[in-house]
Amino acid sequence: MKVAIVDYGLGNLFSINQACLHVGLDTKITSNLTEIKNADAMILPGVGAFGDAMNYLKKSELVAPIKEFVKTGKPFLGICLGMQLMFTDSEEFGSNEGLNFIKGKILKFPSHDTQNSIVKVPQIQWNQISENTDEIWSNSALKNIPKKSYMHFVHSFYAKPENDNHILTYTEYADIKYASAVIKDNLTGFQFHPEKSGELGLKIYENWAKTIIK
Amino acid sequence: MKNVRIIPRLDIKGPNLVKGIHLEGLRVLGKPEDFAKYYYEHGADELIFQDVVASLYERNSLHEIISRTAKNIFIPLTVGGGLRSIDDIKQVLRAGADKVSLNTAVIRNPNFIKEASLKFGSSTIVVAIEAIKQPDGRYFAFIDNGREETGIEVVSWAQKVEELGAGEIVITSVDREGTGEGYDFELIKKIADAVGIPVIAHGGASNINNVKEAITIGHADALAIASIFHYHVAEQFSNNGDSKEEGNTAFLKSGRNFGIIKPSSIEEVKEQLLESGISCRPIK
């Protein structure tokens, strides 16, 4: 089973690759169109700015191949900024168009909470993930992961899907309860970094790996 | 919800984990890989590797240690020491680091923060500030592990660092580092309250109470801890007859005189934080 980890010049691919290898996945860090097309599953990583990432994807002519891949129904996993790119658009530095797999927006965390205390942005910490519904949770890569588990987060922006049914988990920060994982058909997105979330995170990769059909 | 991070900090010299006082007078404690693995398995939220001599000799000797460690450790790893160029950062990230910590290079060229954060993302760029208190009460930033004064006042520097795109700040009190006299709460609070990015406090903790106070009084978002944890692990390793490495020498066999440092495990620290109503990721 070949997993294409999309390399578009942004993001640290090492740790995602390590986690995949650890759970027995065969990976290829690539921007090669044929390799992407022939992969059995795809991971879209990313750190940094939404607009930059979309520009890099466009420049590498990867937008169309990624959209084609998603249409095949093969498993697709977006991580951190990779999850945010799955949405319609972002308010980061003006408006930027995303891949539009899931209707919704990417918004910035406020600098102060409802008590007017400073909120540190980016959120860099371990935080809890809670279920949207039991059913969505148990039909995702989170099945057999205890609810309210702590995962490692690093981000300044958060996703707001239009349709609640696309929300897999909620997390709270800056007095905002936001979508920290999303799911839609063959698409899964994690705002947190399962590859940096210890043994539980690895279990998530293991679960996701089982959804890949050769 | 703020969950405080507990981050073992491993100072590395050549192949060894070392611990000094005021960032000087280094003692060898063992192999960094062994300590890193132990911390990962015992609830560390992240790890910091600091090459304590790289900055002096302008070299990067950590790559091998990083890549050996990063293969088996699935928590964030920050690496610092002697990183001077975009290419230096690239190499460390490629070896398996998730973030880099910059000090000397960005004091000499503050725009390097901007360049690096645009290239790698803000969350990858941590700026380390090493502070020494002046007779007039102000704190100045130092470079080269506290050896060279810069004349730069730390609070305005911290704000500038944020403005230039750093994702986090590690503030080290060089006065307290390795002494066990407790964190410098005044310094930590000044920095933590002055910026909107997370602040990691480092330098001086000798017991769990110090750690608590760095959060409650100092408003730290995370704690980098060395002696308390290293001495605890060194005890475990030597009790298990596990101190086979050449490094684990005289100091550890000398009757383990840790001075006023009270060794504790990460578990103990986290348990006590939670009991005091301070949120963090529990271990079980």
Side-chain angles (χ1 to χ4, degrees), chain B residues 28 64 153-154 177 179 184 192 208 230 237-238 242:
Chain B
V28 172
E64 267 183 46
E153 194 277 321
V154 294
E177 203 279 329
T179 63
D184 185 336
I208 298 178
H230 296 341
F237 285 177
S238 71
D242 219 2

Side-chain angles (χ1 to χ4, degrees), chain A residues 12 14-15 18-19 22 47-48 118-122 124-127 150 152 154 173 195-199 202, chain B residues 1-3 5 40 45-46 70-71 74-76 94-98 120 123 168 192 195-198 221 281-282:
Chain A
N12 188 0
F14 178 92
S15 56
Q18 283 304 320
H22 197 86
V47 300
I118 298 179
V119 172
K120 296 297 176 99
V121 180
I124 304 181
Q125 64 173 8
W126 293 69
N127 207 340
Y150 285 77
H152 188 76
V154 183
Y173 192 66
E195 69 281 1
K196 288 287 143 191
S197 297
E199 300 301 311
L202 292 174
Chain B
M1 173 68 97
K2 170 165 135 181
N3 297 311
R5 287 168 287 150
Y40 170 65
D45 293 321
E46 299 185 20
K71 282 198 178 89
F74 297 94
I75 52 174
R94 202 169 287 157
D98 300 288
F120 303 106
S123 56
E168 259 177 306
V195 295
I197 53 178
D221 300 293
R281 172 179 68 124

